[in-house]
Amino acid sequence: MTTEIIPVDDFDLVIFGGTGDLAKRKILPALYRRMCAGQMPRTARIIAAARSDYTNVQFREFVRESIESFAKSKACGTDLIGTFLKCISYVKIDALGDEGWDALKNTLRKDVVQAYYFSVAPRLFGPIAQNLKQRKIAGRDARIVVEKPFGRDLKSAQELNQVLGTCFHEDQIFRIDHYLGKETVQNLMALRFGNALFEPLWNEQHVDHIQITVAESLGVEGRGGYYDKSGAMRDMVQNHIMQLLCLTAMEPPSQFDAADVRDEKLKVIRALDPVSPDDIIRGQYVGAEESQGYLAQSGNSDSNTESFVALKVGISNWRWNGTPFYLRTGKKLRHRMSEIVIVFKDPPHSIFPEADDLKGNILTIRLQPDEGIELTMTIKEPGPGKMRLTQVPLDMSFAEALADKVENMPDAYERLIMDVIRGNQTLFMRGDEVEAAWGWVDPIIAMWDAKQDVKIKPYDIGGSGPDDALMLMHRDGRKWREIAP
Ligand code: NAD
């Protein structure tokens, strides 16, 4: 089976913050790989805009290094680097000043798709949008891509939406959450809505509970100052985990398009119950030596910011009332691993005397490190003798026919940037969705702020979080899945 790649329309993509970490590690390599795949037209142009002094020649050298370090794969060597570098130019711009805007305007073509990627600090999102609008650089068809974090609470998200909304229409604004670009996240929708098998069971009658885990093995790694003002709730739950929860819990949209999918996600967020204090555990990692712990690494010895959070969440609607969603995320845990686990109810009655504790099926949708889907089934243990039962994973690895596609699977940024050029917003967050998510998260953070004396639970580096997080499940007679590679 061959992969049919349809090139996108010709485009000019301006990357504000083109010299930054995200551009270097993700955005530029993603574009290069799309050129290797034949999806990025060779006439397309990438214009990096940032504050540093670079000539075009110097910046192309920066791009070459970025590709050599971050873009190579079996399917994409370095043969096309020369061709790719010809697409690149650099404009020195100060987002908060007058420098560079005229030069940028003169560089851009009018007859191709125009996209502007805001890969800069959030305080610059508004000023850049305003400059693009007021200086008449971006037209009605232009698109802007806005990185996370989108606000730090409901008020700031509303303000940002308001500023962007005065400069661009909602159909021009692409709020990126790279989790939505992951293959398995889209596979979750294919699995749910492309098979008649699961949907009838996808509700409180048949699902005992759902677990969503986003575990990181790294700590704050030099971003301690930034992270300490944010914490796991803002950094992970409000955006990535909320998106995974929405896609897992939403009703079938009538079409797989931006309006319908985002309408359904919004309904889920609006149906989330407020979380009781007993259903939230916050943790902070501690090391064998003080210097390894969160307090030292965040540079704030009094910090009350969580590097781990676990929550039990209810959804008040017909589909999910009574089925809890357990969410957890943390840094410095045993492994880097993200997964959504649907734990189905146990069979109602066992006809096998040797096996009176029949277990429910478990469907695991793994996002990282190895994207894939697994369903555990109960079968008879092979061999003569009694009817003994065992649980085995049903092999749902992709068929051999898909092997080459799996190997060359685009990463999330590749897919999402190409979606921007195509003007497809399905995998991006709408303004009202982001606000609704903050509206749910804000009272939780306000509750913590009001109880500064309640100490965060310590947990050991390399474990699975505080013991209290295990208790959150145990007290309900349930168990977290192992954080395993
Ligand atoms: P960075 O600090 O490495 O880069 C910032 C870029 O902004 C640089 O190119 C710098 O020259 C430019 N810049 C700074 N001030 C400017 C000004 N006044 N005018 C014009 N350009 C200016 O930041 P980063 O890590 O690349 O992050 C960029 C954005 O992406 C942030 O919003 C961040 O939250 C988000 N993000 C980053 C990552 C990541 O892995 N780095 C992941 C997710 C989201």
Side-chain angles (χ1 to χ4, degrees):
M1 191 186 282
T2 55
T3 310
E4 195 194 347
I5 302 259
I6 303 165
V8 295
D9 290 342
D10 198 5
F11 63 84
D12 280 355
L13 171 67
V14 179
I15 308 173
F16 289 100
T19 59
D21 178 66
L22 185 68
K24 185 175 174 181
R25 286 191 307 108
K26 293 291 180 185
I27 304 171
L28 292 163
L31 286 159
Y32 178 64
R33 285 172 59 110
R34 285 298 89 201
M35 177 177 268
C36 295
Q39 198 170 19
M40 174 178 148
R42 295 184 181 197
T43 46
R45 296 187 327 182
I46 298 156
I47 300 120
R51 241 184 353 183
S52 326
D53 281 312
Y54 274 100
T55 62
N56 281 342
V57 173
Q58 286 167 334
F59 187 68
R60 285 180 188 143
E61 211 33 53
F62 171 93
V63 177
R64 178 192 294 281
E65 282 165 23
S66 133
I67 288 165
E68 284 172 354
S69 307
F70 300 107
K72 278 190 290 180
S73 71
K74 269 191 201 157
C76 182
T78 49
D79 306 354
L80 283 178
I81 287 193
T83 313
F84 184 69
L85 294 182
K86 286 194 192 126
C87 302
I88 307 272
S89 59
Y90 184 82
V91 179
K92 183 180 177 190
I93 276 199
D94 182 356
L96 301 173
D98 286 328
E99 189 186 359
W101 295 101
D102 287 343
L104 176 64
K105 190 172 181 177
N106 294 335
T107 308
L108 296 168
R109 296 174 292 173
K110 296 225 163 4
D111 53 346
V112 296
V113 174
Q114 276 185 12
Y116 300 87
Y117 199 127
F118 295 5
S119 180
V120 289
R123 69 187 165 82
L124 301 179
F125 294 165
I128 292 177
Q130 284 163 331
N131 272 301
L132 291 173
K133 169 79 176 173
Q134 285 159 10
R135 295 172 191 270
K136 298 193 170 42
I137 298 174
R140 173 64 184 94
D141 295 330
R143 286 132 212 190
I144 61 167
V145 184
V146 187
E147 261 298 335
K148 83 164 212 182
F150 198 94
R152 56 172 282 109
D153 52 23
L154 175 58
K155 185 165 170 287
S156 55
Q158 283 170 330
E159 283 165 5
L160 183 53
N161 272 333
Q162 207 266 333
V163 174
L164 298 181
T166 56
C167 307
F168 295 94
H169 294 262
E170 182 61 35
D171 63 13
Q172 296 178 278
I173 306 172
F174 290 69
R175 295 173 194 79
I176 201 162
D177 182 329
H178 72 273
Y179 267 58
L180 293 182
K182 287 183 181 286
E183 185 75 10
T184 340
V185 170
Q186 291 158 75
N187 235 326
L188 169 61
M189 286 183 273
L191 191 79
R192 283 191 63 189
F193 307 127
N195 298 286
L197 183 65
F198 293 109
E199 206 43 31
L201 305 177
W202 209 265
N203 55 47
E204 50 80 33
Q205 281 183 41
H206 300 284
V207 176
D208 177 71
H209 73 278
I210 290 175
Q211 302 184 16
I212 301 180
T213 298
V214 177
E216 297 177 280
S217 54
L218 295 177
V220 291
E221 314 298 318
R223 289 170 65 233
Y226 159 79
Y227 188 87
D228 200 49
K229 294 191 194 76
S230 166
M233 196 71 184
R234 286 192 170 97
D235 194 48
M236 279 289 179
V237 177
Q238 185 274 342
N239 39 60
H240 304 318
I241 292 190
M242 180 68 78
Q243 290 297 319
L244 300 182
L245 168 70
C246 286
L247 294 174
T248 308
M250 73 183 185
E251 295 300 314
S254 50
Q255 296 284 329
F256 184 61
D257 67 18
D260 288 344
V261 169
R262 299 191 300 177
D263 282 350
E264 294 307 335
K265 286 197 291 168
L266 181 60
K267 285 184 209 162
V268 174
I269 304 175
R270 288 189 174 150
L272 291 177
D273 294 336
V275 184
S276 121
D278 296 341
D279 291 340
I280 311 181
I281 307 300
R282 305 168 79 203
Q284 244 177 22
Y285 61 83
V286 288
E289 288 168 32
E290 213 176 298
S291 62
Q292 298 168 329
Y294 178 82
L295 293 179
Q297 294 192 348
S298 67
N300 177 4
S301 55
D302 284 332
S303 174
N304 214 25
T305 300
E306 74 287 354
S307 60
F308 174 99
V309 65
L311 311 97
K312 178 183 174 185
V313 176
I315 302 181
S316 282
N317 63 18
W318 273 59
R319 186 184 283 266
W320 293 118
N321 203 24
T323 296
F325 284 64
Y326 297 91
L327 319 176
R328 76 180 155 165
T329 180
K331 291 191 176 292
K332 284 278 186 200
L333 297 176
R334 190 170 300 131
H335 295 285
R336 172 173 171 264
M337 175 271 242
S338 300
E339 62 179 25
I340 302 168
V341 184
I342 320 294
V343 182
F344 290 93
K345 290 190 173 168
D346 295 343
H349 164 70
S350 174
I351 62 167
F352 309 108
E354 290 84 18
D356 51 5
D357 62 339
L358 283 184
K359 299 258 187 339
N361 304 96
I362 298 175
L363 177 66
T364 305
I365 297 132
R366 162 113 18 161
L367 279 72
Q368 58 191 24
D370 299 314
E371 297 194 41
I373 294 171
E374 182 188 283
L375 177 65
T376 59
M377 307 280 292
T378 299
I379 60 159
K380 177 190 169 298
E381 225 176 62
K386 292 182 178 172
M387 185 73 167
R388 275 187 294 266
L389 303 180
T390 185
Q391 283 214 312
V392 290
L394 185 70
D395 185 358
M396 289 177 73
S397 62
F398 296 113
E400 258 179 37
L402 292 179
D404 66 324
K405 290 192 174 185
V406 172
E407 190 158 294
N408 302 332
M409 215 152 62
D411 99 335
Y413 280 90
E414 293 175 58
R415 179 184 315 272
L416 293 173
I417 295 170
M418 291 298 107
D419 278 357
V420 172
I421 306 301
R422 278 196 292 256
N424 184 348
Q425 291 185 303
T426 311
L427 300 176
F428 294 83
M429 294 176 295
R430 207 165 56 192
D432 51 2
E433 222 183 301
V434 178
E435 289 183 15
W438 279 122
W440 180 75
V441 162
D442 269 6
I444 299 173
I445 294 175
M447 181 174 73
W448 294 338
D449 288 346
K451 291 187 180 171
Q452 285 289 333
D453 50 324
V454 178
K455 274 287 157 209
I456 293 188
K457 312 282 177 195
Y459 63 93
D460 290 334
I461 290 174
S464 48
D467 290 345
D468 293 55
L470 304 180
M471 284 312 295
L472 186 70
M473 287 279 236
H474 282 177
R475 68 173 196 206
D476 294 345
R478 300 182 174 113
K479 210 164 107 195
W480 289 107
R481 296 251 306 171
E482 283 256 331
I483 297 183

